[in-house]
Amino acid sequence: MKNITIKQYTLLPDTLEYDAILEHLNPKNSFGGRQMDINTMPYANVKYCVRLLPKVNSWDGIRQLFTICYDVTEAQFWRTPIVEYFAARKFMLTEFERIIANETTLLAPRTTDSHLWDMAGADKLKPFSDTLPLLQLGKLFGQYPFELGRKPYSEIFNLLAQTKAQNEVESEYRKLLAP
């Protein structure tokens, strides 16, 4: 087996020989001489990639993910060795799984009033799920929400987690004060 480029791999009539071996590579944060740091990527890019992941069904979609995550050009993507691609892909998927799990755990609603929220029409807000947190932070800090989307993911996530925790404490406090 040769360490061919991604472009050469996509032109192979049968990739089974490569797939059988390369699927077992350990994750490695290196692609085209670059590394991915999900915490410093802009929040909007991370959310876009999370939305894009389940829809990727072509090499063009994969290339788009890699150009965003590893900040490589299209030409760099296609000429990167296939061994490097498989290891980097595994790393990238692991990172997205990690942040999705963190978001689910830390940002999930923990209120008994969630059924009321659903009855009020929470489903109508789902198409805006990526920008609503930015809207809330924008109101809080007096900033344009899309400007916040360019900030590093870790900063925005940290602020969202803090805001959520504060809102939960304030809500419980108001319940305790109510007669």
Side-chain angles (χ1 to χ4, degrees):
M1 182 179 87
K2 293 184 197 173
N3 191 9
I4 59 176
T5 66
I6 295 172
K7 187 64 167 174
Q8 291 169 321
Y9 174 83
T10 62
L11 298 173
L12 291 175
D14 182 20
T15 60
L16 187 59
E17 176 187 349
Y18 284 89
D19 297 343
I21 295 168
L22 297 176
E23 286 292 330
H24 300 289
L25 287 175
N26 289 328
K28 186 174 181 186
N29 188 11
S30 177
F31 183 82
R34 304 282 182 107
Q35 290 193 324
M36 171 186 165
D37 184 357
I38 209 160
N39 291 316
T40 59
M41 284 173 61
Y43 177 84
N45 286 9
V46 173
K47 297 309 279 182
Y48 177 74
C49 289
V50 168
R51 264 195 343 266
L52 187 62
L53 269 173
K55 299 175 189 171
V56 171
N57 58 4
S58 69
W59 278 102
D60 190 49
I62 294 168
R63 180 202 47 79
Q64 189 177 9
L65 274 173
F66 273 78
T67 56
I68 294 169
C69 294
Y70 284 98
D71 195 27
V72 293
T73 64
E74 184 175 350
Q76 287 173 305
F77 174 80
W78 292 116
R79 68 174 176 254
T80 301
I82 196 67
V83 170
E84 199 172 319
Y85 161 76
F86 270 87
R89 183 187 75 173
K90 196 172 256 187
F91 176 83
M92 180 175 60
L93 293 175
T94 302
E95 282 294 287
F96 281 117
E97 288 170 5
R98 180 183 63 80
I99 63 142
I100 290 168
N102 281 347
E103 286 182 8
T104 303
T105 303
L106 294 174
L107 300 179
R110 293 184 186 147
T111 175
T112 55
D113 299 335
S114 64
H115 68 283
L116 294 174
W117 182 252
D118 291 337
M119 288 173 50
D123 286 343
K124 293 177 185 175
L125 299 175
K126 284 185 180 176
F128 312 107
S129 63
D130 291 349
T131 53
L132 278 176
L134 297 176
L135 183 65
Q136 292 169 337
L137 289 177
K139 283 180 186 176
L140 206 66
F141 299 116
Q143 289 187 326
Y144 182 60
F146 292 107
E147 185 83 17
L148 290 169
R150 291 183 224 145
K151 300 278 186 203
Y153 174 81
S154 61
E155 289 180 18
I156 299 299
F157 180 73
N158 192 341
L159 290 172
L160 290 173
Q162 290 175 42
T163 304
K164 180 185 177 289
Q166 181 180 3
N167 288 342
E168 287 174 350
V169 169
E170 288 175 0
S171 174
E172 289 302 314
Y173 181 73
R174 280 191 300 274
K175 286 179 186 176
L176 292 171
L177 287 177

